[in-house]
Amino acid sequence: MHIDEELFKKDRFKRNLKQYEEAMKEGRTVFMDIDDLTDIIDYYNYDGLVDDANNVADYALALYPGSIGPLVFKTRQALVENNYEKARDLCEQIEDKSDVDYFYLRAELLIAEGKTQEAEDLLLARYEETDRDEHDNFCLDVGALYIDYGYSTPARQWLERMRDWDNNERLEIIARVHTNAGEYEDATECLERLIDHNPFVSRFWNMLALIQLCNGEYPECLSSAEYSLAITPNNSDGLWCKAKALLGMNETEGALEYYRRFLERIPDNARAEADMGSCYLQLSNLERARECLLLAETHADCSDNMLMVQIYDDLAYVYSCMQQLGKALYYLGKAEDYENEDNLPGHDPNRIVLVGHIYLQNHQKDKALELFDQAIEMSEENPEVMLKVCVSLYDQGEYETSIAYFRHLETNMPKGWKFGFSYMAGSLLKTRQLNEGVEYLKKACLLNSREVKLVFGDMFPAGMPCEDYYDYIKNVKF
């Protein structure tokens, strides 16, 4: 549901927050209005400090049993944990059942359990009973409720009932609807309109940063995150987006710093710990990588398959780099269990390439090539699979073999293909095939300058934009 970020900037709220935090630090009781305590719950929850929010909720309920604000928060936390029985029990503890928030919470319980038609019937009946002047506000609340659970279509339908289509809250929820549906251009347009209207809301910048992150627009994501952090220093979403942007730009040390700052705000966050493990892997700090990844495994939600695959694949790579092939293969197997729950093991060409890379890293080239060929045949010579083989061989210094596989790849490239030419150039230059290597490097600069930076970053002057690589390389003598 919508939270007014501007509230947290007001002097009254700042005084109340300071008063509460000082009282808790000193172990004394502080009496506040229930609405003020609910604002503090919203503040902590908004910034991802769920444990702190829960502590305020417990404190508020000790002072005001049955009060709606704290119980709404605790009910929603039970829903996050998929504990529907607990959520229903907490909901029914609300004393004032005439409050509209109690009604919304009943509808939310149904939506969370997937009973969307029951929820819709309930909401439509209430809508018909609501004063016409309140219809727009009702539609806003219902639209936000649906999109909180990823239901784009009903959210859009409720927002279309509104009379005031220029309402900024409506525009924000529409931006979320577009984002959820993968309509990033439309979402960006909505957010830019919101930012033009009020550029001092960090939430808008964070939403924009997340879209840019999804699009792989890392410099743009970094810029948006920095605007967010300038408005609200140390806000957790801003720290997260900046860390992800820096990681995407291969600014590994910088990314680590912002993941550390994020974890100071949100301890035991498995996603951040896993990404830190990836950062340490890039820096070849294997012990720190292993430590972070094992922590991430401890704190991760095992139902998050994508995260579990990331953790176990990276652990496999750590142990492979340590020349512990058995452990590396063990963790690859665990990753495959999560990635292919409905498929038989050994039927994903991409994973077969990964297993081959582990063998190659552990000096078993023949076994690796056998697996690479198996993956290529299984994929029916899919260019993306073939490219992964070329990159694996390049990374392990098997330049001649990488060249041979790339020449095979060239016969299967679809129109518009622009990947792998940097690795081919690198392999040719490493094997002293200079003329052909330079030609491939020029081609790579024209087609995919970001890949060139990844492979040849040290070759170019610091700070040179990727788009200037081609003009630079034309004047370099090898």
Side-chain angles (χ1 to χ4, degrees), residues 76-90:
R76 289 192 178 130
Q77 286 307 116
L79 290 176
V80 169
E81 297 162 3
N82 296 319
N83 191 335
Y84 302 123
E85 184 177 347
K86 180 181 178 182
R88 283 190 291 270
D89 178 62
L90 287 163

Side-chain angles (χ1 to χ4, degrees), residues 429 434 438 441 459 473 476-478:
L429 293 173
L434 299 184
V438 169
L441 182 52
M459 177 179 177
I473 205 70
V476 173
K477 293 184 179 180
F478 288 87

Side-chain angles (χ1 to χ4, degrees), residues 54 82 224 243 368 424 440 459 471:
N54 200 51
N82 296 319
S224 296
M424 181 61 163
Y440 271 99
M459 177 179 177
D471 289 334

Side-chain angles (χ1 to χ4, degrees), residues 115-151:
K115 300 174 181 177
T116 52
Q117 189 56 57
E118 286 184 51
E120 187 71 0
D121 292 343
L122 188 71
L123 291 163
L124 283 168
R126 182 65 175 244
Y127 178 76
E128 294 299 328
E129 298 169 3
T130 304
D131 290 342
R132 183 176 173 81
D133 290 345
E134 291 299 316
H135 276 181
D136 274 10
N137 287 334
F138 188 91
C139 291
L140 280 173
D141 289 337
V142 175
L145 190 57
Y146 272 120
I147 201 60
D148 280 349
Y149 288 87
Y151 288 102

